[in-house]
Amino acid sequence: MRRLIALLLLLCAGMARAHEIGTTQVRLDLGADHRWTAVVTTFPTALLNRLEAEAGRPLSRDLTAARVQEILPGFAAAIARHADIRFDGQAVPVTARLSRVDMPDDVMLPSTVELTLSGPIPDTARAVTWRYELVSSTYAVVFSDGTGGAPATQWLEGDADSKPFALSVNAPPAIPGQIIAQYLQLGFLHILPQGLDHILFVLGIFLLTTKPRPILIQVTAFTIAHSVTLGLTLYGVISLPPRIVEPLIALSVAYVAIENVVAGTLTPWRPAVVFGFGLLHGMGFAGVLTELRLSRADVVPALVSFNAGIELAQLTIIGAAYLAFALWHRNKPWYRRRFVVPSSLAIAATGLFWTAQRIAG
Amino acid sequence: MKTCLAAVAALFATAAAAHDFWIEPSTFHPTPGTAVGVGLRVGEYFIGDPVKRQSSAIERFLVRQADGEQAVGGADNIDPAGFLRADGRETAVIGYSGGGAYLEMPPDRFAVYLRLYGLDWVVAEREKRGESARPGRERFYRCAKALLTGARGAAAASRPLGFAYEIVPDDDPTRRREPFGGHLLSDGKPMAGAVIGAYLQGEPSIRLETRTDSAGAFRFDLPKAGVWLIRSVHMERAGMFDRNDWNSRWASLTFEQPEGAR
């Protein structure tokens, strides 16, 4: 088992690490009036020095707000050339102007400059991509669809191209059957194989007992709970930040596994505890759906089919575990000692490790 | 040493994929008691964007000055990434190590970037492995240092901080104008044959480049006084369980060399 835990730790060690997030931010508004506007907030010295270097001019040092306001408008055309906005792959003309400069004397406060870029949106445009070449750090672009679609945020590395952002106004009408199939698959894949923490939680539920009734009670409690919070989170009724939800989900994995070792039977409080943890997992599931920018008309079928996909994945996990081991060995005297306890301890160790890792950030 | 004074336009034509990392304090010569903002910068040719502080990415962030070693404090998601109160009595050393950021870029841009940093052997290795047409997948780690000029020099300026990849000057370069010599260490051992670059702040056309000798030593005849960035990158193949194919380590040192005759 030590090897198993070591392997799990090794696999987790290389998981997502921090990017070098800078002070640049972009908000790209796609208006219903067939015009787009991008507000770029960025660091004035780097912006101006890059433009000066490109133009072969001496670089400005010790800049003040007044100096930036004097020099930067002369580079408006150059700034526009470094912004590449494409609708369905076709570049559109860009105009740029300086909107605001904020350079406090206090070295503890950041300096920023705000640029406003704008241009036309072709009548038949379906999707837009963004690229801005005057930044080296990681930054966020918030796409805001004034034609009725939901906003979306993309993180870009320096001058990388964004992924296409679909405009709702010219989007082809969605076919209900396609949405159901798409979200059923998404829900299933979100658990199996992508949701290792959810898989271990379900295995924790299964390991408590091989009797169908206790498993059914726990799975039902979990399902009702995560369905409730998934829906409420998606509609914005409740909201908890991932830095709280994610460690608690990891802790829930450890809890069910530890209780398997300590109690060994379905305690009266276990369904209630599983229900409580299900509420947390539902908020975790909601993250993936909110990132997908569902239009309002698609929310209900997507929600129902996504939930169905999750249930299908959970039943698959329990069924596979039962067929692989419990079916053949559940009545053996050593079943609990050699299978349930070591497996639960491995799950508990993994859950505790994740808890610490997620709290540490 | 090979010195290269290239045209600015040509430099920026290949800037897209490069990403140096350095420490840029609000002042390089603080008077005693001055509050100093410690900015982290990512960019190219010594023109950089601020990087916000992220505790999760920091391994060490410290300052060594006359009154001892302290952690550089700060608040997450804020630029400057750190703040310190300068002692000012002698040269202070600021150190930052951390990172682990992941980057993926198209194969052609990855190759340009590798050649730009003297990593032609990685290009050859990718060809050998049949990866030339695949995106470059890299995780990079940062080891940046800066020297703050004090009333007198400090032996600490030429002592390693113990970073995984580190540029260590032979003498305190903030005292007087003289050729800049130093050693490059990888896991505390001399790193031979690595490319070292030097850039002067405000003059991106000045780009000096050399390679370390068998003892990890290098030397630059810095042509002007001012704030200098010395930097090096080392790349190695990632492990089989990694999402990335390559791990890179970036070392940098920033300091202000004073005016004055040699």
Side-chain angles (χ1 to χ4, degrees):
Chain A
M1 187 170 43
R2 246 180 280 160
R3 283 182 186 166
L4 176 67
I5 294 169
L7 181 64
L8 284 168
L9 293 179
L10 189 69
L11 287 171
C12 295
M15 287 167 77
R17 298 285 294 271
H19 287 255
E20 289 173 342
I21 297 169
T23 52
T24 298
Q25 298 169 35
V26 177
R27 183 183 173 86
L28 178 57
D29 289 307
L30 300 145
D33 58 350
H34 295 288
R35 288 199 66 78
W36 62 268
T37 306
V39 177
V40 179
T41 307
T42 192
F43 182 54
T45 308
L47 171 70
L48 193 56
N49 282 176
R50 284 193 179 105
L51 293 165
E52 288 170 330
E54 186 184 53
R57 295 191 197 172
L59 306 197
S60 302
R61 305 303 306 169
D62 303 321
L63 283 166
T64 60
R67 185 81 181 125
V68 172
Q69 278 166 336
E70 183 189 329
I71 303 171
L72 203 54
F75 287 105
I79 293 168
R81 276 199 306 276
H82 284 288
D84 186 18
I85 291 86
R86 290 172 184 265
F87 289 87
D88 304 326
Q90 296 298 312
V92 292
V94 179
T95 55
R97 66 180 169 82
L98 174 65
S99 326
R100 187 173 60 79
V101 183
D102 191 9
M103 299 185 73
D105 293 331
D106 187 347
V107 297
M108 307 301 173
L109 298 173
S111 297
T112 55
V113 61
E114 192 179 281
L115 309 167
T116 302
L117 278 57
S118 58
I121 303 175
D123 288 347
T124 57
R126 286 190 169 185
V128 61
T129 56
W130 164 268
R131 181 169 186 243
Y132 177 67
E133 298 169 339
L134 295 169
V135 63
S136 296
S137 60
T138 303
Y139 71 103
V141 183
V142 178
F143 292 87
S144 176
D145 188 351
T147 62
T153 301
Q154 291 187 31
W155 287 94
L156 301 181
E157 300 286 348
D159 62 356
D161 290 289
S162 78
K163 291 176 191 157
F165 173 84
L167 278 71
S168 64
V169 66
N170 293 322
I175 301 163
Q178 279 180 348
I179 291 173
I180 289 167
Q182 182 189 346
Y183 283 91
L184 192 71
Q185 185 188 32
L186 190 67
F188 189 92
L189 294 176
H190 186 60
I191 301 291
L192 200 62
Q194 294 164 358
L196 190 54
D197 46 2
H198 303 300
I199 292 171
L200 292 188
F201 185 82
V202 173
L203 283 176
I205 287 175
F206 161 78
L207 283 171
L208 179 68
T209 172
T210 54
K211 292 174 187 161
R213 192 164 172 275
I215 292 177
L216 194 66
I217 289 171
Q218 292 180 84
V219 169
T220 306
F222 184 63
T223 301
I224 292 170
H226 76 61
S227 302
V228 168
T229 44
L230 174 56
L232 292 177
T233 307
L234 207 57
Y235 276 101
V237 179
I238 56 169
S239 173
L240 267 183
R243 66 185 164 78
I244 295 174
V245 173
E246 292 300 323
L248 288 173
I249 288 175
L251 196 62
S252 73
V253 173
Y255 177 87
V256 292
I258 290 167
E259 202 181 47
N260 289 346
V261 177
V262 176
T265 55
L266 186 70
T267 56
W269 61 83
R270 172 93 165 199
V273 172
V274 168
F275 183 86
F277 287 144
L279 295 174
L280 289 168
H281 283 246
M283 284 186 252
F285 295 150
V288 69
L289 284 187
T290 47
E291 283 170 14
L292 290 172
R293 311 172 43 245
L294 288 162
S295 68
R296 288 207 167 270
D298 295 340
V299 166
V300 172
L303 191 58
V304 171
S305 49
F306 185 78
N307 251 324
I310 288 171
E311 297 321 312
L312 211 57
Q314 288 174 182
L315 293 174
T316 304
I317 294 162
I318 291 173
Y322 187 83
L323 286 173
F325 209 84
L327 177 64
W328 316 105
H329 304 297
R330 69 186 189 279
N331 295 322
K332 302 273 173 61
W334 49 261
Y335 177 75
R336 177 174 161 73
R337 183 165 40 87
R338 290 190 192 168
F339 179 65
V340 174
V341 172
S343 304
S344 295
L345 285 174
I347 292 172
T350 309
L352 289 174
F353 170 73
W354 281 338
T355 307
Q357 191 185 43
R358 290 174 187 186
I359 288 171
Chain B
M1 185 176 70
K2 179 185 160 192
T3 303
C4 170
L5 297 173
V8 174
L11 294 176
F12 278 81
T14 51
H19 47 271
D20 282 325
F21 184 93
W22 65 92
I23 294 172
E24 201 164 302
S26 52
T27 173
F28 276 92
H29 40 265
T31 51
T34 306
V36 179
V38 184
L40 303 176
R41 297 284 185 269
V42 62
E44 54 284 325
Y45 307 113
F46 217 173
I47 299 174
D49 291 296
V51 175
K52 294 178 185 177
R53 185 189 183 98
Q54 276 183 281
S55 297
S56 59
I58 298 173
E59 287 170 8
R60 292 172 73 194
F61 198 3
L62 63 115
V63 58
R64 272 186 194 167
Q65 44 190 355
D67 58 354
E69 181 176 314
Q70 296 120 21
V72 174
D76 267 10
N77 299 313
I78 295 288
D79 166 63
F83 305 101
L84 60 87
R85 184 70 62 183
D87 178 281
R89 283 178 289 171
E90 60 182 44
T91 304
V93 185
I94 306 172
Y96 171 95
S97 68
Y102 174 82
L103 191 75
E104 188 170 320
M105 67 177 81
D108 50 342
R109 283 181 58 195
F110 194 55
V112 168
Y113 145 69
L114 292 171
R115 290 198 173 98
L116 188 69
Y117 281 87
L119 298 165
D120 299 69
W121 73 270
V122 179
V123 178
E125 183 68 16
R126 273 168 57 82
E127 270 175 27
K128 196 172 131 192
R129 290 171 179 266
E131 294 176 357
S132 296
R134 284 173 29 194
R137 303 187 307 170
E138 178 194 352
R139 189 174 296 287
F140 46 95
Y141 299 86
R142 308 299 202 174
C143 302
K145 290 163 63 175
L147 302 177
L148 301 184
T149 305
R152 61 173 186 268
S158 54
R159 276 204 292 265
L161 290 176
F163 286 167
Y165 199 55
E166 184 172 357
I167 293 167
V168 183
D170 292 339
D171 296 299
D172 184 344
T174 66
R175 306 317 304 164
R176 56 190 167 274
R177 281 201 66 203
E178 58 186 19
F180 176 85
H183 282 73
L184 180 65
L185 304 178
S186 177
D187 294 322
K189 294 175 187 142
M191 180 78 191
V195 175
I196 305 261
Y199 301 90
L200 178 61
Q201 191 170 56
E203 300 207 28
S205 62
I206 297 181
R207 181 175 61 159
L208 313 178
E209 200 174 280
T210 188
R211 279 187 186 268
T212 55
D213 64 16
S214 58
F218 65 91
R219 194 174 178 85
F220 284 116
D221 190 8
L222 303 178
K224 284 187 177 182
V227 177
W228 282 90
L229 162 67
I230 313 291
R231 66 108 179 101
S232 177
V233 57
H234 173 63
M235 200 171 275
E236 56 196 8
R237 189 74 184 172
M240 64 183 292
F241 289 110
D242 286 332
R243 172 185 171 207
N244 48 306
D245 299 321
W246 300 94
N247 286 320
S248 60
R249 291 170 170 185
W250 298 73
S252 68
L253 175 71
T254 42
F255 60 93
E256 182 167 18
Q257 196 169 60
E259 296 282 356
R262 290 224 171 123

